[in-house]
Amino acid sequence: MEQIMTNSSYSADAQPFAGDAKPTSFLNLAKTIAMTGLSKSLIYEVMSKGEFPPCYRLSKRRVGWRESDLTTWMNSWPRAH
């Protein structure tokens, strides 16, 4: 399998995960919602604009987001004053 997405371009399409990188963990949608504080619809809306980390196909019927990608994305948010 080949990883198609890069950290600089995000897509709403689930991508296969290449085994060369070893992420610490994948989060399902419920945990992604809990971590980011965003709703399901907002996550998919932001993904469709290419502004959210990609999800990866983990099995035939399961996708997940790399926790490290979500942390990096959240750390890039501007701070409130």
Side-chain angles (χ1 to χ4, degrees):
M1 269 192 255
E2 179 181 340
Q3 181 179 356
I4 298 170
M5 302 306 301
T6 66
N7 285 340
S8 62
S9 68
Y10 298 122
S11 170
D13 297 323
Q15 300 300 321
F17 175 68
D20 55 344
K22 303 291 183 203
T24 55
S25 62
F26 283 97
L27 303 180
N28 64 18
L29 180 60
K31 290 181 181 177
T32 298
I33 290 169
M35 181 176 179
T36 63
L38 302 177
S39 67
K40 176 182 175 179
S41 60
L42 188 54
I43 287 172
Y44 285 112
E45 179 184 329
V46 177
M47 282 179 68
S48 72
K49 295 177 182 178
E51 299 171 356
F52 194 80
C55 57
Y56 292 84
R57 182 146 316 277
L58 304 176
S59 68
K60 188 174 183 177
R61 296 177 50 186
R62 188 169 181 185
V63 297
W65 287 262
R66 289 194 292 194
E67 185 174 13
S68 59
D69 288 349
L70 295 173
T71 300
T72 299
W73 179 78
M74 290 171 61
N75 288 336
S76 70
W77 294 352
R79 296 188 184 266
H81 296 270

